[in-house]
Amino acid sequence: MARRTLLLYAGVDSSDFSHADFESSRRYHRPLYLAFGVGLALSVAVYSFLAWSRIGDRLWGAVDELGWAGSAAVFAALVVTAAELVRLPLAFWRGHLRERRFGFSTQTAGGWLRDRAKAFSVGLVLATGAWTAAVALGRAFPASWAAPAAAAGALAVLVLSFLGPVVFEPLFNSFRPLADARLAAELRSLAADAGVPVRDVLVADASRRTSKVNAYVSGLAATRRVVLFDTLLASADEREVKLIVAHELGHRRDRHAAKATALAMLGAALAVLVLWAALGTLSPRDLPVALLILIGLEVCGMPLGAALSRRLERAADRCSLELTRDLEAFERAHVELARRNLSDLDPPRLAYLLMFTHPTPPERLALGRGWAANS
Ligand SMILES: [Zn+2]
């Protein structure tokens, strides 16, 4: 293992991470990749069972009499709830027990379950609404429901991206403006340099859930904002915070959230077309099969989505260096982020291709040094 690490990162300064760093990141992540696969298999098993078993037929029989809208909504609620219950133990292990064992979680089991219940409720409302709307369009336009449904799916993605920061994120965290006036002023001038005047740099109370550090941009148009975890502010020095904010400003300057939303809208419309081609006329009973098709499409789309995301992340990393011209802070920030979050330094190829939305920390350090060497 050690030799493989050396060979892989022969071009990267090996003093960035110790052998122990590689080992602990591997110990943390390998079981999580396995859990992702098991979770996927569980979803496929539940939906297949509900699609083709007698019990699935009986469940459908219990709601069949409720009229088309009632049966679509109640069947969707039952299917989504069944899948949640089957996946819950694994999710609890992955999201709570393991996070505790590695010292990340700052939550009680009850707190974790409350978060999960909230997320489930949101998902339940969205899934039930989406399926009932799809069935309604299928009844109104039996042969051509795909066109209005694809447009509605794309529109729903747009609306959810816009509403995310103001409707959904506050369900899980509270946000306040950055209190440190001097740092806030510096970040605003950084934003002016980037050509993206920032309305809001907000701090999220992430520490109520985790000790991991992070920052992100979300929202569209009037709901755009840069969000810093309070854990990041507590642990990083000012140059590192500036570097990380510069990275997020890079995302905003190059309209990455808008591009990702446009891509997701296209993906939603294409998914509807595939469902239409596979299912033809739509019956409320088709939901488990529709979900199986959607899982298949999602897995097929993951390598493309991850590759595009890594590309945007590299652009944002370059922007953080152009704005700050501070390679030292770049190196320290990415080494610190990786150590604190136990980022996977050497992921298996398949995990990298499917789910690495960011380059690995050694790749990011190499990119920063390459940028510095050429500028
Ligand atoms: Zn980023």
Side-chain angles (χ1 to χ4, degrees):
M1 274 305 184
R3 212 178 66 202
R4 193 168 142 246
T5 300
L6 276 176
L7 286 175
L8 256 177
Y9 296 115
V12 178
D13 185 350
S14 59
S15 66
D16 290 324
F17 298 103
S18 67
H19 182 70
D21 288 332
F22 275 89
E23 277 308 309
S24 52
S25 83
R26 184 176 292 125
R27 253 201 326 276
Y28 176 57
H29 282 281
R30 294 303 145 95
L32 296 181
Y33 300 138
L34 192 65
F36 171 80
V38 173
L40 206 60
L42 282 176
S43 299
V44 169
V46 174
Y47 298 142
S48 302
F49 187 74
L50 292 176
W52 296 299
S53 75
R54 281 227 188 96
I55 292 181
D57 286 338
R58 244 183 258 159
L59 198 67
W60 169 248
V63 302
D64 193 10
E65 312 283 300
L66 298 173
W68 69 268
S71 63
V74 177
F75 191 56
L78 289 173
V79 169
V80 171
T81 305
E84 170 69 7
L85 290 177
V86 169
R87 284 185 308 226
L88 191 61
L90 178 69
F92 184 70
W93 174 80
R94 180 170 61 182
H96 184 67
L97 294 178
R98 227 181 129 69
E99 291 293 291
R100 276 210 91 91
R101 198 179 124 210
F102 279 82
F104 289 128
S105 174
T106 55
Q107 262 185 320
T108 61
W112 185 88
L113 281 169
R114 268 194 298 283
D115 277 350
R116 183 83 185 180
K118 274 194 251 177
F120 171 70
S121 308
V122 171
L124 183 71
V125 169
L126 293 177
T128 305
W131 186 241
T132 309
V135 170
L137 289 173
R139 288 174 58 85
F141 312 97
S144 59
W145 59 268
L155 184 67
V157 168
L158 181 65
V159 170
L160 291 176
S161 298
F162 182 77
L163 291 183
V166 284
V167 174
F168 300 113
E169 290 175 26
L171 291 175
F172 298 95
N173 282 102
S174 55
F175 299 87
R176 57 183 165 79
L178 186 59
D180 182 337
R182 204 176 52 83
L183 182 58
E186 287 219 28
L187 297 181
R188 266 196 300 277
S189 91
L190 197 65
D193 290 347
V196 277
V198 166
R199 194 167 329 177
D200 283 325
V201 174
L202 298 175
V203 180
D205 61 344
S207 59
R208 57 186 290 267
R209 200 168 286 125
T210 183
S211 62
K212 286 182 176 172
V213 295
N214 211 343
Y216 64 90
V217 283
S218 66
L220 294 172
T223 67
R224 280 185 309 182
R225 75 260 328 269
V226 173
V227 176
L228 306 176
F229 277 23
D230 56 356
T231 46
L232 175 72
L233 281 179
S235 66
D237 69 33
E238 198 173 304
R239 276 164 67 192
E240 289 168 32
V241 171
K242 277 174 78 169
L243 187 282
I244 288 163
V245 169
H247 170 101
E248 303 306 331
L249 290 172
H251 282 310
R252 276 195 53 172
R253 186 190 64 186
D254 299 340
R255 301 178 188 287
H256 290 169
K259 284 176 186 166
T261 301
L263 194 69
M265 290 170 71
L266 185 68
L270 284 175
V272 169
L273 293 182
V274 172
L275 287 179
W276 173 72
L279 297 172
T281 54
L282 209 55
S283 144
R285 174 72 178 99
D286 292 334
L287 180 61
V289 177
L291 289 169
L292 284 169
I293 294 169
L294 291 179
I295 289 181
L297 289 176
E298 195 185 336
V299 172
C300 292
M302 281 171 75
L304 180 68
L308 285 170
S309 172
R310 287 194 300 268
R311 196 190 166 95
L312 302 185
E313 292 302 333
R314 283 194 294 269
D317 275 349
R318 276 191 292 273
C319 179
S320 72
L321 287 161
E322 282 159 22
L323 282 176
T324 61
R325 313 204 72 81
D326 191 351
L327 177 66
E328 212 182 284
F330 181 93
E331 292 173 327
R332 260 190 294 125
H334 286 292
V335 169
E336 259 310 289
L337 275 173
R339 286 225 179 93
R340 290 200 144 252
N341 293 346
L342 277 184
S343 309
D344 198 344
L345 302 171
D346 179 22
R349 193 76 196 141
L350 184 63
Y352 184 81
L353 288 177
L354 285 179
M355 38 185 138
F356 266 60
T357 54
H358 291 62
T360 65
E363 284 177 334
R364 299 180 88 163
L365 291 165
L367 174 143
R369 287 166 189 148
W371 178 89
N374 293 319
S375 64

